[in-house]
Amino acid sequence: MLDELIQLTILDEESPQSFKVRAYEKAKAALENHPEDFTSLSVSQLTKIPGVGKATATKVRELLDAGSVAKLETLRAQYPPEFARLSRIPGLGPKTLKLVRGQLGVEDLDGLKAAIDAQQLRTLPRMGATSEAKIGRAIERLGLTGKHDRAPAADAFPVAEQVAAALRALPSVTDVLVCGSLRRMAETVGDVDITVAATEPTKVLPTIGEQPSKLGVEVREVLAAGDTKMSVLTAGGLQIDIRVVDPSHFGATTLYFTGSKAHNVALRQRAIDRGLLLNEYGLSPASDPQPTGVPQPEQPTQTPPTSSALAASTEAEIYAALDLAYIPAPMREATGEVEAAADGTLPTVVQRRDIRGDLHYHTDRSGDGRSSLADMVAEAASHQLEYLAITDHGEDLAINGSNRLEMLAHRDAIRQLQPQYPAMTLLYGCELNIGPEGGLDYDAEFRASFDYTVASVHSHFDLPVRAQTARMVAAIADPTVDSIGHLTGRYIGRRPGIEIDIDIVLEALYRFDVALEINGSLHRLDAGADVVRRAVRRGVKLVINTDSHHTSELGRMEYGVLTAQRGWAPRDLVINTWPRDRFLRWVNTHRTATKEHLTP
Ligand code: DGT
Ligand code: CA
Ligand code: CA
Ligand code: ZN
């Protein structure tokens, strides 16, 4: 609710810096950091939380009590999702958006595209042909298509997880799984698909009945409602499809609704080749061929669950019955996984439980970090990590970076904390900034004094491909760089990221033995699965990180791992699955080579 309120208030006040916006943002951070459940607090109790003002407290209470907020409803009426969504496009600030709407009558993406095609944007104050072209290119590169825009995974995941949790609490429900493209870890999704197993499948959805808010999210519209199927549109404009089935064929249904469609087709063909029938109810023997021309009495197109099913309750038994290795959901895109699962060449992809360290991790030493060193380290320890690189920003990142003296003091603090954590090795690290020509922070000698570094792009997103590639290669070739963070700097659905010649960059990573990060932030998922798959083919080392800036962000590791699976990343190529000794040996070799390189 607060995120949406902030977004719409920025539009309304025409500035992300307005007093109201800042108050909401401050309150949001305060509530997120509040250690206790605040849902039963009164308005006056809420305002006692430092950072929460009266206006926000009232709205939070209103939402908790009434399920909606009047102010937000008013803003929504003024700025419908099709319009509000335009503010994601780089170059379209709230002031420009107001003009685009007021003077050109643009209400949605199609209108905006038409205005660009008609060269109308350049006629507005403070705009020109260059900024018009830039906006046009951003729309193209973000893959925005129209009203039925796909939602970034970062928007869909929290909603899906909330609804799944609400469904889990309903009577007779035994299992809930988010399926579809979200389970396959696609970067953007058309809609959310959720499969529910229940001992009394027809009794679950009717209990929601007239109160769709029981789904745990704000519902704008119920699109369809039956006993075992339901589709709703959330206030944020996301469609959610729900199906409820008997636990006896839950696996067959989740397999079907996870897709992809092309993967399903390949599986069904394999079943047919073996005289079997695969559908959303299970894998069963195909019925004997009927003589043609004879009318077939009540032959249902979809076989209901029968005792003849060979496999139906779990996905694993269906794959096994088709003589296939189990295929993790993110790999189900019909890009060779069925063939590989059949001939035993499917790679053993990395799993969450294989991860032993996090190598991109911030504290409030960084301007954008929100938890202390002590808290961040304690949180990592509670996740049983064996090694942790604390990589606060280098000095070139203007407001967020640290100078040498600050870094050295930080190193002392890290060293002092180490004895408390005998089971976890703390590395004094740094997130270096890759400058427009590949330059890095501090000087080589100071950079060599870190235990570990990750270098990333945080600026100059618009250079031409050749310049970006050269910039990246220069950073990779620098002997003080151990890994490259969030390769393109993209923000899915919001900022396209740099354009590079990926083959050249992968070749450089391989040659210089620099690891490529898979950043687990849902906004980034960078390097993305396609790049990861190419990196794997080239033998480039990988590292999966959370890039946490707060103790609540360690769960991102899961999304990073799923992205790695989607890129077919084998466990052994991921350096933070290695046992501590092996990992430290690799880092030390890297750092020693660095120091030798620096000694004339
Ligand atoms: P999306 O929602 O566009 O991001 O992509 P999906 O893959 O989630 O697609 P969706 O929501 O239309 O359908 C969910 C799954 O249901 C899909 O991955 C596979 C299955 N499915 C849907 N329609 C068909 C179909 O016509 N044939 C087959 N074999 N499977 C289908
Ligand atoms: Ca879907
Ligand atoms: Ca769907
Ligand atoms: Zn970072």
Side-chain angles (χ1 to χ4, degrees):
M1 184 281 283
L2 282 174
D3 278 326
E4 198 186 353
L5 190 63
I6 290 168
Q7 191 210 1
L8 296 182
T9 310
I10 291 175
L11 278 178
D12 202 46
E13 305 256 312
E14 291 176 53
S15 163
Q17 309 295 345
S18 89
F19 173 76
K20 266 194 211 168
V21 171
R22 298 177 80 125
Y24 291 146
E25 276 172 346
K26 212 166 133 206
K28 176 177 177 254
L31 289 173
E32 277 172 3
N33 289 336
H34 192 63
E36 285 136 46
D37 178 37
F38 56 80
T39 52
S40 55
L41 298 185
S42 69
V43 170
S44 65
Q45 286 168 321
L46 280 168
T47 54
K48 295 221 171 70
I49 301 176
V52 180
K54 181 99 188 295
T56 315
T58 315
K59 291 183 181 67
V60 169
R61 197 62 259 160
E62 193 183 344
L63 178 73
L64 292 168
D65 293 336
S68 66
V69 179
K71 176 71 197 168
L72 186 55
E73 295 303 329
T74 316
L75 286 170
R76 275 181 189 155
Q78 251 172 301
Y79 307 99
E82 309 78 68
F83 180 76
R85 210 171 272 154
L86 299 179
S87 64
R88 277 191 210 151
I89 300 168
L92 268 186
K95 286 202 167 61
T96 313
L97 266 181
K98 180 154 251 172
L99 289 172
V100 164
R101 193 184 203 182
Q103 303 203 5
L104 306 177
V106 167
E107 291 292 336
D108 56 20
L109 188 69
D110 289 336
L112 181 64
K113 281 179 167 171
I116 292 173
D117 289 344
Q119 307 196 336
Q120 288 174 323
L121 241 55
R122 61 180 70 179
T123 64
L124 297 175
R126 291 188 311 276
M127 294 285 287
T130 319
S131 33
E132 183 182 79
K134 206 167 149 184
I135 292 170
R137 238 167 86 73
I139 293 174
E140 218 168 275
R141 291 193 51 217
L142 288 170
L144 304 181
T145 48
K147 277 194 188 120
H148 301 287
D149 217 6
R150 298 174 65 80
D155 294 348
F157 256 110
V159 176
E161 280 162 7
Q162 264 167 283
V163 174
L167 290 167
R168 255 175 221 121
L170 295 177
S172 110
V173 170
T174 59
D175 224 334
V176 177
L177 192 66
V178 175
C179 297
S181 48
L182 209 51
R183 182 167 176 227
R184 301 199 310 278
M185 208 59 212
E187 292 164 3
T188 62
V189 304
D191 67 6
V192 173
D193 304 278
I194 300 181
T195 309
V196 179
T199 47
E200 296 180 272
T202 55
K203 302 232 170 114
V204 176
L205 295 178
T207 65
I208 293 168
E210 299 298 296
Q211 278 176 285
S213 64
K214 280 192 184 163
L215 286 173
V217 290
E218 278 183 82
V219 172
R220 190 200 303 170
E221 196 184 338
V222 176
L223 302 170
D227 279 353
T228 60
K229 284 187 187 178
M230 184 170 199
S231 283
V232 299
L233 197 62
T234 68
L238 191 62
Q239 182 176 329
I240 305 181
D241 293 345
I242 302 166
R243 299 141 194 107
V244 190
V245 301
D246 189 89
S248 63
H249 58 276
F250 185 58
T253 308
T254 61
L255 184 66
Y256 181 85
F257 286 112
T258 297
S260 66
K261 207 163 162 176
H263 179 82
N264 288 352
V265 168
L267 288 187
R268 191 167 321 142
Q269 189 55 50
R270 190 170 170 88
I272 291 168
D273 293 345
R274 292 159 184 256
L276 302 172
L277 178 73
L278 176 65
N279 60 23
E280 58 182 289
Y281 296 104
L283 180 70
S284 47
S287 40
D288 294 338
Q290 303 287 327
T292 47
V294 178
Q296 295 174 25
E298 65 255 12
Q299 182 90 17
T301 45
Q302 287 180 324
T303 317
T306 62
S307 51
S308 72
L310 302 171
S313 67
T314 69
E315 292 182 350
E317 67 183 39
I318 297 171
Y319 281 111
L322 289 170
D323 293 320
L324 293 172
Y326 178 80
I327 301 174
M331 301 174 81
R332 300 180 193 167
E333 294 290 348
T335 57
E337 75 279 7
V338 178
E339 295 82 349
D343 65 20
T345 57
L346 199 71
T348 306
V349 289
V350 56
Q351 310 265 348
R352 174 65 188 87
R353 61 171 182 271
D354 300 327
I355 300 293
R356 298 171 189 254
D358 197 337
L359 301 172
H360 184 168
Y361 204 72
H362 295 267
T363 72
D364 59 12
R365 172 72 264 145
S366 295
D368 53 359
R370 290 175 292 126
S371 303
S372 68
L373 173 65
D375 287 352
M376 289 303 284
V377 171
E379 191 65 24
S382 78
H383 282 70
Q384 275 80 46
L385 295 184
E386 295 169 29
Y387 41 94
L388 181 70
I390 295 149
T391 55
D392 285 300
H393 291 291
E395 65 181 352
D396 291 352
L397 196 60
I399 29 171
N400 292 328
S402 302
N403 64 30
R404 294 169 194 231
L405 285 178
E406 290 166 333
M407 272 297 182
L408 291 172
H410 196 44
R411 173 168 69 179
D412 290 344
I414 294 168
R415 300 286 188 246
Q416 272 171 28
L417 215 48
Q418 178 66 80
Q420 291 177 39
Y421 296 96
M424 181 167 73
T425 300
L426 299 179
L427 299 173
Y428 158 60
C430 184
E431 178 171 15
L432 301 167
N433 303 284
I434 304 177
E437 274 142 32
L440 301 162
D441 318 59
Y442 313 109
D443 59 35
E445 200 179 329
F446 193 82
R447 292 199 300 274
S449 73
F450 291 109
D451 299 334
Y452 179 89
T453 64
V454 49
S456 351
V457 163
H458 293 111
S459 65
H460 301 87
F461 294 98
D462 292 324
L463 305 177
V465 179
R466 276 181 64 122
Q468 297 289 28
T469 307
R471 168 192 198 188
M472 199 49 89
V473 170
I476 293 166
D478 189 289
T480 64
V481 169
D482 299 309
S483 62
I484 294 294
H486 48 71
L487 181 66
T488 71
R490 69 174 178 181
Y491 242 59
I492 296 170
R494 290 173 177 83
R495 181 173 75 203
I498 63 170
E499 285 181 282
I500 47 176
D501 183 323
I502 194 66
D503 287 323
I504 294 177
V505 170
L506 292 178
E507 189 60 32
L509 286 164
Y510 179 76
R511 294 275 180 90
F512 290 97
D513 197 26
V514 166
L516 174 65
E517 174 181 83
I518 300 168
N519 189 297
S521 160
L522 283 174
H523 293 288
R524 296 188 182 274
L525 302 176
D526 191 11
D530 294 345
V531 171
V532 172
R533 195 148 175 203
R534 288 164 76 166
V536 168
R537 287 204 188 102
R538 189 62 195 92
V540 171
K541 290 192 177 68
L542 302 168
V543 53
I544 308 173
N545 292 322
T546 66
D547 192 2
S548 291
H549 288 66
H550 185 263
T551 50
S552 64
E553 291 171 342
L554 278 75
R556 294 174 175 183
M557 189 59 82
E558 180 73 26
Y559 302 126
V561 167
L562 293 169
T563 299
Q565 292 184 349
R566 193 167 163 84
W568 292 48
R571 179 182 55 211
D572 205 52
L573 215 44
V574 180
I575 62 172
N576 55 328
T577 65
W578 295 351
R580 176 157 55 165
D581 286 352
R582 181 179 176 198
F583 168 71
L584 291 177
R585 231 180 299 127
W586 179 77
V587 175
N588 284 334
T589 315
H590 233 239
R591 301 313 286 176
T592 312
T594 302
K595 283 172 190 140
E596 278 165 8
H597 185 98
L598 289 174
T599 323

